């Protein structure tokens, strides 16, 4: 029997309350926007609702402007993987800012793949 194709819908995008990375709850949606002011405490991203993909792996990437990592090297995209735990599941992909803020302005592209198929691809513009 062929696997069902995952159904993915963007539920919200923009600004959110602080996301507890180790918590179970998604952050609270605050405001829709693709333009984000760079400041401490700002949480941004999007929430996807994923259906018919239980047990598959979701891969994500946050590609940001060129800034230096803690060793002084140019930082690459932030990548990760997550197993989809439920038949219907909501996933938050987002980030927040850290010091120095000046190098965080520019285009931040957030992408998600399921089974090597790109299912979400959005770009936020970060402004000082």
């Amino acid at each position: 029997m062929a696997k069902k194709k995952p159904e993915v819908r963007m539920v919200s995008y923009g600004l959110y309350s602080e996301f507890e990375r180790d918590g179970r709850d998604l952050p609270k949606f605050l405001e829709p926007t693709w333009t984000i002011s760079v400041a401490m405490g700002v949480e941004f991203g999007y929430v996807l609702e994923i259906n018919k993909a239980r047990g598959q792996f979701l891969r994500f990437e946050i590609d940001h402007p060129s800034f230096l990592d803690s060793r002084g090297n140019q930082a690459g995209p932030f990548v990760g993987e997550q197993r989809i735990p439920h038949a219907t599941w909501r996933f938050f992909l987002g980030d927040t800012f850290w010091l120095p803020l000046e190098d965080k302005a520019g285009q931040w592209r957030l992408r998600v793949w399921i089974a090597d198929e790109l299912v979400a691809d959005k770009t936020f513009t970060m402004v000082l």
Side-chain angles (χ1 to χ4, degrees):
M1 183 172 172
K3 274 189 175 177
K4 293 180 182 177
K5 182 177 172 136
E7 296 174 1
V8 179
R9 176 177 72 92
M10 188 170 294
V11 176
S12 59
Y13 63 89
L15 299 174
Y16 294 83
S17 64
E18 184 178 349
F19 181 46
E20 294 181 32
R21 304 261 186 278
D22 297 328
R24 297 183 72 178
D25 297 330
L26 296 178
K28 181 181 174 192
F29 177 62
L30 301 175
E31 177 184 337
T33 184
W34 294 114
T35 303
I36 310 293
S37 294
V38 176
M40 294 301 291
V42 171
E43 187 86 36
F44 64 90
Y46 55 74
V47 172
L48 301 176
E49 182 175 275
I50 302 166
N51 292 291
K52 301 179 182 177
R54 182 179 180 186
Q56 295 185 50
F57 282 91
L58 170 147
R59 187 169 48 93
F60 59 87
E61 177 181 280
I62 300 175
D63 196 5
H64 44 66
S66 298
F67 52 77
L68 302 181
D69 65 16
S70 59
R71 294 189 201 111
N73 300 317
Q74 191 166 343
F78 177 73
V79 296
E81 188 174 71
Q82 170 90 31
R83 182 181 284 273
I84 298 170
H86 307 289
T88 297
W89 183 56
R90 288 197 173 189
F91 173 74
F92 173 71
L93 179 59
D95 210 341
T96 190
F97 301 109
W98 59 95
L99 296 173
L101 296 174
E102 295 75 27
D103 63 0
K104 306 307 182 291
Q107 303 291 309
W108 289 54
R109 186 176 182 190
L110 285 65
R111 295 184 283 182
V112 174
W113 293 263
I114 298 174
D116 295 324
E117 179 182 343
L118 184 64
V119 296
D121 183 358
K122 296 297 179 185
T123 299
F124 290 87
T125 301
M126 310 305 173
V127 295
L128 292 173

